[in-house]
C-alpha cells in the first residue's frame, strides 16, 4: 500500500513538472512571436487540463495573434455551452471586436456586466478581463457596479488606477481618497501613487484638485488622515508653514509624539526655509515636557540663528544663549550634542579655536561612550585642521579609525585623513586612502572619496612641482576655513597662471560655488557658462549645466534659460546624477499638469 501511494505521488509530481516545463516553453515561443509553436503546446495543455482557465485564455490569445478568430470563437462557444462564465463572455465579445463585429461585441459586454447582478463574486475577474483588453470604460462600469453590489469589498483603488491611466486625475483623486476612508492604514501607499501626479507648483491643476478635495473632507469629517495627507501635499509644494498648521491640528487631536513636527522642521531647514523651521522648533519648546526634545529644539534654533547672523553682536547673543542652556541643563552625556554644536560655533563662527579646543577636551572627560568620544575627537581634529595643525589632527583621526574599525565614523575619519593629507600636499598618501574608501558602506563618503581621487589623479602629473594642484588644495582649505575671498583669489591665480592645464574647469567650478556663497550670482554665471562653452566634453559639463540652471531658476529669475539647460541635461547627459531632478524641474517649468 505504501509503495502504491509513493508511485501515485511520483506520477503526480512528474506530470505537474512536465506541465510546468511545457508552459514555460510555450510562453517562451509566444514572447518570441513564434505563435504556431506556442499554439501546439497550449492545445496539449488545454486538453490535459480543460478546466484550467490560464491555459484556456493563453490558447485563445495565441489563436487571436495568428488571426484565427473563428477557431477562438468555436473554443469559447463550446466552453460556454458547458458552463456560463462571464469572463468567457467578455473574451468572446473581444474576439468579435477583433473581427470588427462591434455590435455583437457590445451586446456580449453588456451580457457579462448584467450577469453580475446574479453572481457579484465575478466582479473582480470580469473587470480585470476588460482591463486586459484595454476596455477601461467597461472595467469602470463593472467596478462601479461592484461598489453597489458588494460595498464591503470597495473597488476604489482599482478605479483610481484606471482613471489615472485615462488621465482623469480628478476622478483618480476622488477614488484614492475614498479608499483612504475605507483603509486609513494605506495612506503611505496612496501618497506614493499620487506623488507622480503632483508637482512643487501649488497652482498646478492637479495640486488644486487634490487640495480642494482634502479641504472639503476636513470640513465634512475632520479625521486625522485628511490632515496628514494635506500636510504631505504642502510639503511637496514646499509650503512648510501651511504644512505646520496641519501638523499642529494633528498633534492637538493626538498629543502623543512631536516626532512628525520635528521631522517637518528639519525638512524645512534642509530646504532653506529657516524661518518656518525656527517657528516650528519654538512651538516644540512651548509644547514638550521632555528634556532631550527641548535640547534638540534649542540646538536647531541656535544653529539657525548662527547661519543668519551678520554681526559680532548677534554672535555674542548666541554665545550667551549656549551658556545659559549649559547652566540650565548642565554638561553631561545628555547635553553632548549641544556641546559639540557649541564647540563648532566657537571655532568656525567666533573664530576662537583655543576656547573651542579647551571646551571640547573637557567634554572628553565626561562619562561618555566610545562612540560619543569619537564624535568629540572628530570635531577636535577638524578644528586642528582649521588651525593648520595637520599632524595633530591626523593623530585624532587615526585614533578613531583604530577604536571603531569598519564603522561609518571610522570611514569618515579615514576620509578626513585623506583630505588633510591633500591639504598638506601629500597627494600620494591621500590617494592611497581614497582608493580604500571607494567601497565605503556610506554612499556619501564613497562619492566624496571618488571625486577627490579623480581630482588628484587627473592633475598630479600635470607638472613635476604640482603647483596648480597645490594651489587648488590650498583654496579648498581656505574654503573650509571660511576664508572665501582668499580662496577666490587663489583660484584666480590658477586661472591666470595655468591656462590650458586640466585643472582649469575644476577651478572655474569651485570658484563659481564660492561666488554663489557670496551671492555674486553674475560672476558665478560667467564661470558656469565658460565651463559649458570650453569644457563641454569634460566631467564637469553636466554639473555646470545643472548648477547654472538652478542659478537661473532660483536667483536670477530666468526660467526660460533654466528650462533649456534642464532639457539639455535630459537629452545630452542621460547618465548624469542630475537627470531625474532635471526632468522633474523641466516639466514643472514647462507647466505640465502631471509631474
Amino acid at each position: 500500500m505504501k509503495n502504491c501511494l509513493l508511485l501515485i505521488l511520483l506520477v503526480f509530481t512528474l506530470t505537474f513538472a512536465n506541465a510546468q516545463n511545457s508552459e514555460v516553453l510555450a510562453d517562451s515561443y509566444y514572447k518570441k512571436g513564434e505563435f504556431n509553436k506556442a499554439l501546439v503546446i497550449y492545445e496539449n495543455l488545454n486538453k490535459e487540463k480543460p478546466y484550467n482557465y490560464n491555459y484556456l485564455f493563453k490558447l485563445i490569445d495565441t489563436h487571436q495573434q495568428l488571426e484565427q478568430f473563428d477557431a477562438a470563437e468555436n473554443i469559447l462557444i463550446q466552453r460556454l455551452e458547458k458552463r456560463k462564465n462571464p469572463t468567457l463572455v467578455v473574451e468572446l465579445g473581444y474576439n468579435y471586436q477583433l473581427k470588427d463585429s462591434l455590435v455583437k461585441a457590445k451586446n456580449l459586454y453588456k451580457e457579462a456586466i448584467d450577469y453580475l447582478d446574479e453572481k457579484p463574486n465575478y466582479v473582480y475577474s470580469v473587470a480585470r478581463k476588460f482591463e486586459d483588453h484595454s476596455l477601461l470604460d467597461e472595467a469602470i462600469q463593472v467596478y462601479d457596479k461592484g461598489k453597489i453590489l458588494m460595498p464591503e469589498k470597495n473597488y476604489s483603488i482599482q478605479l483610481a488606477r484606471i482613471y489615472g491611466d485615462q488621465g482623469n486625475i480628478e476622478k483618480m483623486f476622488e477614488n484614492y481618497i475614498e479608499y483612504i476612508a475605507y483603509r486609513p492604514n494605506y495612506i503611505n501607499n496612496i501618497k506614493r501613487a499620487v506623488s507622480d501626479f503632483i508637482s512643487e507648483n501649488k497652482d498646478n491643476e492637479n495640486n488644486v484638485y487634490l487640495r480642494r478635495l482634502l479641504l472639503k473632507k476636513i470640513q465634512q469629517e475632520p479625521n486625522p488622515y485628511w490632515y496628514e495627507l494635506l500636510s504631505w501635499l504642502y510639503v511637496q509644494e514646499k509650503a512648510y508653514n501651511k504644512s505646520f498648521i496641519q501638523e499642529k491640528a494633528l498633534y492637538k487631536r493626538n498629543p502623543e509624539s512631536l516626532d512628525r513636527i520635528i521631522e517637518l522642521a528639519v525638512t524645512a531647514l534642509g530646504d532653506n526655509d529657516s524661518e518656518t523651521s525656527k517657528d516650528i522648533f519654538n512651538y516644540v519648546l512651548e509644547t514638550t515636557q521632555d528634556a532631550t526634545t527641548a535640547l534638540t529644539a534649542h540646538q536647531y534654533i541656535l544653529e539657525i540663528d548662527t547661519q543668519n547672523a551678520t554681526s559680532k553682536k548677534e554672535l555674542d547673543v548666541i554665545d550667551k544663549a549656549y551658556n545659559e542652556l549649559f547652566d540650565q541643563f548642565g554638561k553631561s552625556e545628555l547635553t553632548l550634542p549641544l556641546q559639540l554644536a557649541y564647540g563648532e560655533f566657537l571655532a568656525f563662527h567666533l573664530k576662537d579655536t583655543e576656547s573651542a579646543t579647551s571646551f571640547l577636551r573637557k567634554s572628553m572627560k565626561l562619562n561618555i561612550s566610545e562612540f560619543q568620544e569619537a564624535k568629540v575627537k572628530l570635531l577636535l581634529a577638524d578644528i586642528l585642521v582649521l588651525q593648520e595643525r595637520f599632524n595633530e589632527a591626523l593623530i585624532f583621526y587615526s585614533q578613531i579609525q583604530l577604536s571603531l574599525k569598519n564603522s561609518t565614523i571610522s570611514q569618515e575619519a579615514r576620509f578626513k585623513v585623506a583630505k588633510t593629507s591633500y591639504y598638506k600636499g601629500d597627494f600620494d598618501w591621500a590617494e592611497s586612502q581614497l582608493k580604500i574608501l571607494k567601497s565605503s558602506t556610506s554612499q556619501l563618503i564613497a562619492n566624496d572619496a571618488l571625486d577627490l581621487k579623480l581630482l588628484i589623479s587627473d592633475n598630479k602629473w600635470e607638472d613635476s612641482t604640482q603647483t596648480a594642484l597645490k594651489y587648488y588644495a590650498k583654496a579648498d582649505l581656505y574654503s573650509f576655513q571660511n576664508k572665501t575671498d582668499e580662496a577666490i583669489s587663489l583660484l584666480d591665480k590658477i586661472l591666470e597662471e595655468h591656462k590650458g592645464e586640466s585643472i582649469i574647469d575644476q577651478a572655474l567650478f569651485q570658484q563659481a560655488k564660492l561666488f554663489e556663497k557670496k551671492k555674486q550670482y553674475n560672476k558665478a554665471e560667467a564661470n558656469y557658462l565658460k565651463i559649458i562653452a570650453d569644457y563641454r566634453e569634460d566631467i564637469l559639463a553636466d554639473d555646470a549645466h545643472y548648477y547654472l540652471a538652478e542659478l537661473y531658476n532660483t536667483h536670477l529669475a530666468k526660467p526660460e534659460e533654466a528650462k533649456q539647460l534642464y532639457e539639455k541635461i535630459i537629452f545630452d547627459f542621460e547618465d548624469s546624477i542630475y537627470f531625474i531632478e532635471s526632468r522633474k524641474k523641466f516639466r514643472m517649468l514647462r507647466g505640465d499638469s502631471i509631474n
Side-chain angles (χ1 to χ4, degrees):
M1 182 67 181
K2 185 178 179 182
N3 290 337
C4 185
L5 285 172
L6 287 171
L7 183 61
I8 292 168
L9 182 62
L10 179 62
V11 169
F12 175 80
T13 305
L14 289 172
T15 303
F16 179 74
N18 284 333
Q20 275 196 315
N21 291 335
S22 297
E23 185 179 3
V24 169
L25 182 60
D27 289 347
S28 174
Y29 283 138
Y30 182 94
K31 287 173 185 173
K32 290 189 284 188
E34 298 179 25
F35 299 117
N36 283 312
K37 292 180 181 178
L39 183 65
V40 173
I41 301 173
Y42 287 139
E43 282 176 335
N44 289 331
L45 288 169
N46 188 51
K47 284 175 187 175
E48 289 171 15
K49 296 195 174 182
Y51 295 104
N52 185 316
Y53 276 84
N54 182 43
Y55 295 151
L56 175 64
F57 284 124
K58 285 185 174 181
L59 176 61
I60 302 283
D61 185 17
T62 309
H63 275 304
Q64 289 169 346
Q65 294 293 337
L66 291 165
E67 298 186 3
Q68 296 171 357
F69 304 121
D70 291 340
E73 181 183 336
N74 289 334
I75 293 169
L76 287 165
I77 289 172
Q78 288 171 20
R79 185 58 64 89
L80 282 165
E81 285 173 352
K82 293 177 182 177
R83 184 185 176 192
K84 187 70 174 289
N85 183 312
T87 58
L88 296 178
V89 175
V90 173
E91 193 62 51
L92 181 59
Y94 181 66
N95 198 68
Y96 279 124
Q97 184 171 322
L98 292 173
K99 292 170 69 174
D100 291 328
S101 299
L102 297 181
V103 174
K104 285 185 179 180
K106 289 289 183 184
N107 288 335
L108 285 165
Y109 295 155
K110 184 178 183 303
E111 181 185 328
I113 294 168
D114 290 344
Y115 185 78
L116 299 174
D117 292 320
E118 298 175 37
K119 297 283 181 68
N121 286 334
Y122 279 104
V123 164
Y124 183 75
S125 58
V126 169
R128 287 299 301 170
K129 184 53 65 179
F130 278 127
E131 286 188 73
D132 288 344
H133 297 311
S134 299
L135 297 164
L136 300 185
D137 289 335
E138 287 80 1
I140 288 170
Q141 194 177 340
V142 171
Y143 284 129
D144 280 337
K145 183 183 276 278
K147 278 184 174 184
I148 298 166
L149 296 172
M150 295 188 295
E152 73 283 359
K153 293 278 187 180
N154 193 295
Y155 295 102
S156 302
I157 200 160
Q158 288 88 357
L159 282 164
R161 179 171 39 77
I162 294 173
Y163 282 125
D165 290 342
Q166 288 185 324
N168 190 340
I169 307 305
E170 193 163 11
K171 292 290 287 183
M172 180 194 76
F173 286 153
E174 285 174 7
N175 278 278
Y176 275 135
I177 283 173
E178 189 175 320
Y179 195 75
I180 289 172
Y182 173 65
R183 285 196 174 166
N185 58 323
Y186 268 64
I187 191 166
N188 288 329
N189 302 63
I190 303 303
K191 286 176 188 175
R192 283 192 290 273
V194 165
S195 63
D196 286 339
F197 295 88
I198 60 171
S199 80
E200 293 175 9
N201 180 8
K202 68 181 178 64
D203 298 321
N204 175 289
E205 187 178 24
N206 295 349
N207 292 47
V208 173
Y209 283 158
L210 183 56
R211 187 163 56 249
R212 188 176 65 225
L213 286 168
L214 290 170
L215 288 168
K216 185 178 178 182
K217 277 291 183 185
I218 287 170
Q219 289 173 348
Q220 292 173 343
E221 43 180 290
N223 291 315
Y225 36 84
W226 305 134
Y227 291 99
E228 182 182 341
L229 195 55
L230 184 58
S231 172
W232 173 84
L233 176 61
Y234 285 136
V235 168
Q236 309 314 300
E237 296 171 349
K238 302 185 184 296
Y240 300 110
N241 56 335
K242 292 181 180 178
S243 178
F244 179 36
I245 293 168
Q246 305 308 316
E247 292 297 336
K248 278 194 291 187
L250 268 174
Y251 181 74
K252 285 172 184 174
R253 294 174 67 87
N254 186 23
E256 287 185 6
S257 171
L258 285 161
D259 289 351
R260 286 178 57 89
I261 288 179
I262 292 170
E263 184 182 342
L264 176 62
V266 173
T267 302
L269 184 59
D271 208 25
N272 299 315
D273 188 352
S274 59
E275 184 179 347
T276 299
S277 182
K278 187 175 177 180
D279 287 344
I280 298 172
F281 281 122
N282 276 318
Y283 175 78
V284 171
L285 284 178
E286 293 164 10
T287 309
T288 189
Q289 301 298 315
D290 178 65
T292 303
T293 303
L295 280 166
T296 299
H298 277 302
Q299 184 177 329
Y300 272 110
I301 289 168
L302 287 171
E303 288 175 5
I304 291 167
D305 288 343
T306 302
Q307 293 300 323
N308 293 331
T310 56
S311 67
K312 177 68 165 61
K313 185 178 178 181
E314 288 174 308
L315 291 174
D316 288 340
V317 170
I318 295 165
D319 185 31
K320 183 182 177 185
Y322 269 114
N323 284 291
E324 285 173 354
L325 287 173
F326 291 127
D327 290 340
Q328 180 183 351
F329 293 98
K331 293 171 187 170
S332 66
E333 181 182 2
L334 177 68
T335 61
L336 188 67
L338 191 68
Q339 292 173 58
L340 289 167
Y342 184 54
E344 186 174 336
F345 169 76
L346 286 171
F348 288 86
H349 297 280
L350 279 186
K351 311 295 184 187
D352 188 352
T353 53
E354 294 304 325
S355 293
T357 302
S358 174
F359 177 81
L360 290 169
R361 287 185 185 278
K362 289 175 185 174
S363 298
M364 281 179 62
K365 293 177 182 176
L366 297 170
N367 183 25
I368 57 177
S369 69
E370 194 173 25
F371 178 80
Q372 289 173 316
E373 185 181 339
K375 296 284 285 184
V376 179
K377 284 184 176 179
L378 197 69
L379 180 54
L380 271 169
D382 288 349
I383 294 168
L384 288 167
V385 171
L386 192 67
Q387 297 171 290
E388 299 189 35
R389 292 159 63 183
F390 300 127
N391 292 333
E392 293 173 71
L394 288 168
I395 292 169
F396 276 125
Y397 290 139
S398 300
Q399 286 175 355
I400 296 166
Q401 284 181 255
L402 289 170
S403 64
L404 293 165
K405 289 180 180 177
N406 301 320
S407 65
T408 301
I409 197 168
S410 172
Q411 292 169 7
E412 187 179 352
R414 186 185 289 276
F415 177 71
K416 293 197 172 190
V417 166
K419 198 76 185 274
T420 304
S421 302
Y422 156 76
Y423 289 147
K424 286 175 64 183
D426 189 351
F427 301 124
D428 290 333
W429 178 245
E431 200 171 7
S432 70
Q433 298 300 297
L434 294 166
K435 282 179 184 175
I436 298 168
L437 285 167
K438 283 195 299 179
S439 56
S440 169
T441 52
S442 164
Q443 192 60 50
L444 184 62
I445 292 172
N447 290 342
D448 288 345
L450 179 60
D451 287 345
L452 186 56
K453 184 188 176 303
L454 288 172
L455 172 73
I456 294 170
S457 59
D458 287 350
N459 295 290
K460 72 175 184 177
W461 304 116
E462 195 73 37
D463 69 80
S464 57
T465 60
Q466 299 175 334
T467 305
L469 186 56
K470 286 174 181 174
Y471 282 160
Y472 188 92
K474 186 70 174 178
D476 220 350
L477 177 61
Y478 282 151
S479 180
F480 176 73
Q481 294 169 324
N482 211 19
K483 298 177 181 177
T484 308
D485 290 331
E486 290 91 332
I488 288 171
S489 295
L490 197 49
L491 290 167
D492 267 334
K493 192 176 180 71
I494 296 171
L495 296 171
E496 290 167 11
E497 297 179 5
H498 296 270
K499 290 175 182 176
E501 293 184 20
S502 59
I503 204 167
I504 293 295
D505 60 332
Q506 293 275 0
L508 285 165
F509 186 74
Q510 186 70 1
Q511 194 181 56
K513 289 199 288 184
L514 292 170
F515 283 140
E516 284 197 62
K517 186 178 178 182
K518 288 178 66 68
K519 299 184 179 179
Q520 296 176 350
Y521 300 124
N522 291 322
K523 288 184 178 181
E525 176 192 18
N527 277 33
Y528 291 135
L529 286 170
K530 188 162 182 60
I531 295 169
I532 290 168
D534 298 345
Y535 301 92
R536 62 173 65 92
E537 304 299 326
D538 287 359
I539 196 168
L540 290 173
D542 62 324
D543 300 78
H545 278 84
Y546 183 77
Y547 278 91
L548 182 55
E550 289 288 280
L551 198 60
Y552 285 147
N553 199 24
T554 56
H555 295 296
L556 295 179
K558 295 181 177 180
E560 279 304 311
E561 288 86 339
K563 187 171 75 174
Q564 290 170 18
L565 287 164
Y566 289 133
E567 186 177 26
K568 185 85 171 168
I569 293 168
I570 294 166
F571 288 105
D572 293 357
F573 301 97
E574 291 181 16
D575 296 329
S576 171
I577 59 171
Y578 307 111
F579 178 84
I580 293 172
E581 196 65 20
S582 295
R583 184 173 60 185
K584 176 181 171 185
K585 291 185 176 180
F586 170 74
R587 289 176 175 177
M588 191 175 74
L589 287 171
R590 194 172 61 179
D592 292 5
S593 60
I594 295 177
N595 190 24

